[in-house]
Amino acid sequence: MALYVKAAEILEKAERKQGALKTLVYDSKFANIKQLFALVCETQKFSSVLRELIESTKLLKHTKLKMHLAMVLVYDLVMGQGLKCGGSWKSTMLKHRSRLQAELARIKIKQKVSRNEDLLPAVVQRSAVDHLPRYVRVNTLKTTVEDAVDYLKRDGFSYQGQASRLEDLTLKEKDFVRDLHLPEVLVFSPKTDFHDHFLYKAGHVILQDKASCLPAYLLNPPPGSHVIDACAAPGNKTSHLAAIMKNKGKLFAFDLDAKRLATMSTLLLRAGVTCQQLAHQDFLKVDPDSLQYKDVEYILLDPSCSGSGMVCLRDNSSADQEKDQARLTSLASFQLRCLNHGLRFPCLKRLVYSTCSIHSQENEEVVKACLQQNPGFRLVPLLAKWPERGLEPLTQCLRASTSKTRSHGFFVALLEKHSGAGNMNQRPPLQISDPEATSHSSLTCEKRPEASETENKQTPAADSTQTDSTPGKKKRRKRKRKKAATAEG
């Protein structure tokens, strides 16, 4: 029974975005990793079919099982090689086998198919075409990209240089390249396994999808800054922020789930992160005016979302469209609250908002509503050469997808505080193509000027400071001296 309990636990964690399926399996330290991995992958692949079987036979009501445990048991019972457990669980499931088999046969007849594989959603059946590369982020807290490349070459991999186009990411086994957009990301063929590799175990590389590397890379907080990772677990983005900050400054990381924070603490320790301050706390309850956060200038906000961009979760939408829409509405409301809360920190310069969702309701619509409610912030155009943009009119944002960027589905927006809402349309927005070239000193945390100081600043020319050496002031001084001389005479 331990096999099914562990498999159910991993499926639930993957659904909650606590890690990639393969990483969760290998980190579980289960005695028979291959058996566990096969069960988890097959159950996940057929998850939509299994959920339909369980719901239509009311299995949860009859057995008191939880959904993920029921899914792995039902898979092995009616689709796999039979149950690999004994005792009460096996006898309970065998009582329902005939009903489950009959329901599976009914579904096949309804869809006019004869094989289990033909029941899979089209997107899953195309998975061989959609296979994503294996992305590895070099952890610069422990090594350099050059040293990592040299080590991998000595280990039998063949380095093909810097990729220059998306097609270069289609790689043969043992070949690898440096990514064309993110300089600290290396790209390998899809089946490359690093879970037992020295570089992974020593924390020199992080197994992280390319799109997931975008938020920290684009936020780009300088060493010594104070940064918040608002919904931090499982910690890959937190470790990326620490690497960009060179472990200098303060990195506040919040998460509501104590178990996820414990896992995150282990990950950060392996990655060599020392500048973090973890807190088991709801970000929405953090006081922006607290002295502890008075110097926070950068925030990374990656809140809970539908996960619809994750390849492994694509077929998990229910048949009840009304229920799905209600869930999206609830998530979008939560995301907007988080975003508005993040913009309340008084010294904030920049905030990155990201999701692993493909729905505009969680992405562009949330950002649009936030900008309407916070006119002191604007969007920063990102990575001009990135192949997929945000939906009109928010093309400053980035999107990612399996087809256009060879990554999981993702969305990223960068919000920047500007000097004044009145000048918003006159100042051209900053175009980021390389975060290293971005000046961090261009935005400062100052007291907001009183109304009397700003009401006359109507144009950029009027906003510019004039010194005593300007021609206008010299003429005024001459006129004053002449008047004084006349009065004396």
Side-chain angles (χ1 to χ4, degrees):
M1 193 59 197
L3 169 67
Y4 298 107
V5 171
K6 183 57 69 175
E9 179 186 316
I10 287 168
L11 284 169
E12 187 174 5
K13 284 183 176 180
E15 198 171 295
R16 292 168 60 189
K17 296 199 305 173
Q18 292 184 24
L21 213 60
K22 198 169 188 178
T23 301
L24 290 169
V25 169
Y26 276 82
D27 286 351
S28 72
K29 297 181 173 60
F30 190 73
N32 192 334
I33 289 291
K34 288 186 178 179
Q35 183 188 42
L36 177 63
F37 188 55
L39 176 60
V40 166
C41 285
E42 288 303 300
T43 303
Q44 188 279 318
K45 185 168 73 173
F46 284 97
S47 60
S48 60
V49 180
L50 292 168
R51 285 176 185 273
E52 186 175 350
L53 275 175
I54 291 165
E55 289 170 2
S56 59
T57 58
K58 298 181 179 178
L59 186 67
L60 301 186
K61 180 180 178 181
H62 293 304
T63 62
K64 307 301 181 185
L65 291 170
K66 292 187 177 179
M67 177 58 81
H68 295 94
L69 182 56
M71 284 168 64
V72 292
L73 288 167
V74 170
Y75 171 79
D76 254 1
L77 182 65
V78 300
M79 291 182 168
Q81 302 298 314
L83 289 174
K84 302 174 184 67
C85 66
S88 60
W89 288 112
K90 185 171 184 177
S91 60
T92 299
M93 292 303 297
L94 288 175
K95 288 178 185 177
H96 300 279
R97 181 167 60 180
S98 58
R99 285 197 307 119
L100 289 163
Q101 288 174 334
E103 183 61 25
L104 179 60
R106 188 191 67 79
I107 293 171
K108 287 180 181 177
I109 292 169
K110 184 180 178 182
Q111 296 193 22
K112 299 179 181 178
V113 300
S114 58
R115 302 184 311 148
N116 290 336
E117 287 73 16
D118 295 330
L119 293 171
L120 294 172
V123 69
V124 178
Q125 293 185 39
R126 291 197 305 268
S127 62
V129 180
D130 278 349
H131 260 185
L132 300 179
R134 160 63 77 185
Y135 293 103
V136 169
R137 176 173 60 81
V138 176
N139 178 17
T140 54
L141 289 176
K142 288 201 165 185
T143 187
T144 64
V145 174
E146 292 72 23
D147 285 350
V149 168
D150 286 343
Y151 187 96
L152 289 162
K153 285 161 67 176
R154 292 196 302 273
D155 199 35
F157 288 91
S158 177
Y159 183 50
Q160 304 298 309
Q162 173 95 36
S164 58
R165 52 185 188 149
L166 210 59
E167 289 74 14
D168 294 341
L169 304 187
T170 302
L171 298 158
K172 297 176 183 177
E173 190 177 354
K174 287 291 183 179
D175 285 356
F176 74 107
V177 296
R178 197 169 182 173
D179 186 66
L180 65 163
H181 298 110
L182 306 179
E184 290 164 5
V185 172
L186 302 178
V187 192
F188 298 79
S189 62
K191 293 185 179 179
T192 308
D193 185 9
F194 277 96
H195 291 87
D196 289 324
H197 199 279
F198 165 76
L199 291 180
Y200 170 70
K201 288 184 172 181
H204 289 210
V205 298
I206 310 292
L207 305 184
Q208 187 174 0
D209 184 67
K210 173 179 176 175
S212 177
C213 296
L214 284 170
Y217 175 75
L218 294 169
L219 187 61
N220 196 32
S225 57
H226 287 206
V227 182
I228 284 177
D229 190 350
C231 307
N236 284 337
K237 297 180 185 70
T238 314
S239 69
H240 196 182
L241 287 169
I244 293 168
M245 296 163 65
K246 304 186 189 302
N247 256 343
K248 297 175 181 175
K250 288 185 180 180
L251 178 50
F252 303 99
F254 303 98
D255 204 274
L256 262 176
D257 192 314
K259 288 184 179 179
R260 291 179 67 179
L261 272 179
T263 304
M264 177 178 168
S265 183
T266 303
L267 183 151
L268 296 181
L269 180 65
R270 184 171 62 195
V273 177
T274 58
C275 63
Q276 82 279 17
Q277 291 188 23
L278 304 188
H280 178 210
Q281 189 175 357
D282 181 354
F283 175 63
L284 286 172
K285 294 181 180 177
V286 175
D287 181 8
D289 296 317
S290 168
L291 288 176
Q292 189 177 6
Y293 311 117
K294 65 182 178 62
D295 296 319
V296 167
E297 297 172 324
Y298 302 89
I299 293 178
L300 192 157
L301 175 61
D302 186 67
S304 297
C305 70
S306 64
S308 52
M310 303 295 286
V311 172
C312 61
L313 299 179
R314 281 182 176 179
D315 61 328
N316 280 353
S317 57
S318 70
D320 188 342
Q321 291 187 355
E322 206 171 293
K323 184 178 177 182
D324 286 344
Q325 185 55 49
R327 180 170 177 255
L328 279 180
T329 301
S330 176
L331 283 168
S333 174
F334 166 74
Q335 291 152 357
L336 180 57
R337 283 170 56 213
C338 287
L339 195 45
N340 283 334
H341 186 70
L343 299 186
R344 287 180 53 209
F345 286 77
C347 284
L348 183 70
K349 293 178 180 179
R350 291 187 163 188
L351 180 149
V352 158
Y353 172 74
S354 63
T355 75
C356 55
S357 169
I358 60 174
H359 300 298
S360 60
Q361 191 170 347
E362 297 179 90
N363 298 332
E364 289 89 354
E365 290 179 33
V366 168
V367 172
K368 185 178 178 181
C370 176
L371 289 172
Q372 288 173 346
Q373 295 170 29
N374 298 275
F377 286 83
R378 63 179 174 196
L379 283 173
V380 178
L382 303 171
L383 298 181
K385 294 183 180 179
W386 187 262
E388 189 169 9
R389 315 305 303 180
L391 302 180
E392 292 282 356
L394 304 188
T395 54
Q396 304 97 320
C397 308
L398 302 183
R399 276 180 168 262
S401 62
T402 55
S403 59
K404 294 184 180 179
T405 61
R406 300 293 306 279
S407 68
H408 288 285
F410 216 79
F411 173 84
V412 188
L414 176 57
L415 284 74
E416 172 188 78
K417 182 183 288 185
H418 59 80
S419 60
N423 290 338
M424 186 174 174
N425 295 324
Q426 285 90 12
R427 287 179 58 190
L430 181 64
Q431 173 72 38
I432 290 185
S433 56
D434 179 3
E436 291 298 324
T438 303
S439 170
H440 292 286
S441 60
S442 61
L443 293 167
T444 57
C445 178
E446 299 174 342
K447 287 186 177 180
R448 294 180 182 175
E450 297 297 329
S452 59
E453 294 177 299
T454 59
E455 59 188 6
N456 294 323
K457 296 180 182 179
Q458 298 174 355
T459 65
D463 192 28
S464 61
T465 304
Q466 293 181 330
T467 66
D468 286 349
S469 60
T470 57
K473 290 221 171 181
K474 284 181 178 179
K475 288 178 181 179
R476 286 196 292 274
R477 284 202 300 272
K478 284 181 181 179
R479 284 198 296 270
K480 285 180 181 179
R481 283 199 293 269
K482 284 182 180 179
K483 285 180 180 180
T486 304
E488 288 173 2

